[in-house]
């Protein structure tokens, strides 16, 4: 039986169709050069701004939070056995934060209890924070050498006279003193703190408010003159 020859030749033979996946891959490869230029331009722009570009989208999550003013101290019972447990206000993150301290107050006449307590608190406030307190971002602005005395003749009986006039202290230092005194034996019965300076100017009654504790650098402690002027 004669064999029928194919007269179409090699040019008439159709090439086999490429699989679908192969065609898709070729399409991606064709697009890559077009995408490379804008991506390269973006990477250069980010590098010029000091930002490192990432090859894939990254979800970094919320920004890390730093928790200052977190102090872990020794056992309170052990502290109390060495003296009287008191609370002083230090500066932390531009606010006032309480810190437990222990002080020794020698016995004396009842009328001087307020002065001795106030002096002990002033000494604690002016002390440089401990290493643990510094690591927790605590600091103090109360100057060293600040002393306190009892009322002058024209003062109320609960007044305290500082060796530096309250108006001459920094806002932070005054806020530290007022808030520390307000919850101690140095305070008046209503929780206010009556302070004056070494001169004859009238003393004033100060209050430690929430605004003072949270914004001691800008919030002036509310005060009134004791002479009613």
């Amino acid at each position: 039986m004669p064999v029928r020859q194919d007269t179409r030749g090699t040019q008439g033979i159709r090439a086999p169709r490429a699989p679908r996946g192969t065609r898709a891959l070729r399409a991606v490869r064709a697009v890559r050069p077009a995408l490379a230029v804008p991506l390269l331009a973006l990477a250069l722009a980010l590098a010029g701004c000091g930002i490192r570009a990432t090859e894939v989208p990254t979800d970094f999550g919320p920004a890390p939070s730093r928790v200052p003013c977190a102090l872990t101290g020794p056992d309170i019972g052990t502290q109390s056995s060495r003296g009287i447990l008191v609370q002083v206000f230090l500066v932390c993150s531009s606010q006032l934060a309480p810190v437990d301290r222990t002080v020794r107050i020698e016995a004396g006449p009842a009328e001087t209890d307020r002065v001795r307590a106030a002096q002990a608190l002033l000494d604690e406030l002016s002390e440089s924070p401990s290493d643990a307190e510094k690591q927790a971002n605590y600091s103090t602005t109360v100057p060293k050498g600040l002393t306190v005395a009892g009322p002058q003749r024209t003062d109320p009986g609960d007044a305290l006279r500082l060796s530096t006039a309250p108006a001459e202290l920094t806002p932070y230092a005054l806020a530290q003193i007022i808030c520390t005194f307000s919850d101690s034996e140095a305070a008046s019965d209503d929780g206010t703190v009556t302070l004056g300076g070494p001169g004859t100017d009238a003393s004033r009654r100060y209050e430690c408010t929430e605004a003072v504790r949270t914004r001691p650098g800008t919030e002036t402690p509310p005060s009134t003159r004791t002479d009613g002027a």
Side-chain angles (χ1 to χ4, degrees), residues 165-180:
E168 297 177 6
L169 296 171
T170 66
Y172 278 101
L174 181 59
Q176 282 186 257
I177 293 171
I178 292 171
C179 289
T180 298

Side-chain angles (χ1 to χ4, degrees), residues 59-224:
D59 182 10
F60 291 100
S65 60
R66 186 168 177 234
V67 182
C69 311
L71 183 65
T72 302
D75 180 70
I76 292 180
T78 304
Q79 286 186 341
S80 299
S81 66
R82 297 196 300 266
I84 299 173
L85 184 67
V86 297
Q87 194 175 72
V88 299
F89 280 85
L90 302 182
V91 180
C92 188
S93 295
S94 301
Q95 300 183 9
L96 297 187
V99 173
D100 290 334
R101 297 278 182 85
T102 54
V103 298
R104 286 189 176 277
I105 302 176
E106 300 297 330
E111 62 269 16
T112 61
D113 282 349
R114 177 177 281 107
V115 175
R116 293 200 309 275
Q119 187 63 60
L121 293 172
L122 280 180
D123 293 342
E124 288 296 321
L125 284 172
S126 63
E127 281 292 324
S128 178
S130 65
D131 291 340
E133 290 169 348
K134 290 178 181 177
Q135 290 177 2
N137 298 327
Y138 288 93
S139 63
T140 186
T141 61
V142 177
K144 286 185 175 294
L146 191 62
T147 59
V148 62
Q152 295 182 356
R153 183 178 57 84
T154 57
D155 287 331
D158 57 0
L160 297 169
R161 289 277 175 172
L162 302 177
S163 56
T164 298
E168 297 177 6
L169 296 171
T170 66
Y172 278 101
L174 181 59
Q176 282 186 257
I177 293 171
I178 292 171
C179 289
T180 298
F181 282 4
S182 65
D183 193 27
S184 72
E185 292 297 325
S188 303
D189 293 339
D190 60 358
T192 61
V193 179
T194 306
L195 296 179
T200 57
D201 292 342
S203 57
R204 303 184 70 91
R205 291 191 182 277
Y206 295 89
E207 294 180 57
C208 175
T209 63
E210 181 65 22
V212 172
R213 288 191 292 269
T214 56
R215 299 187 300 275
T218 58
E219 189 71 22
T220 303
S223 66
T224 56

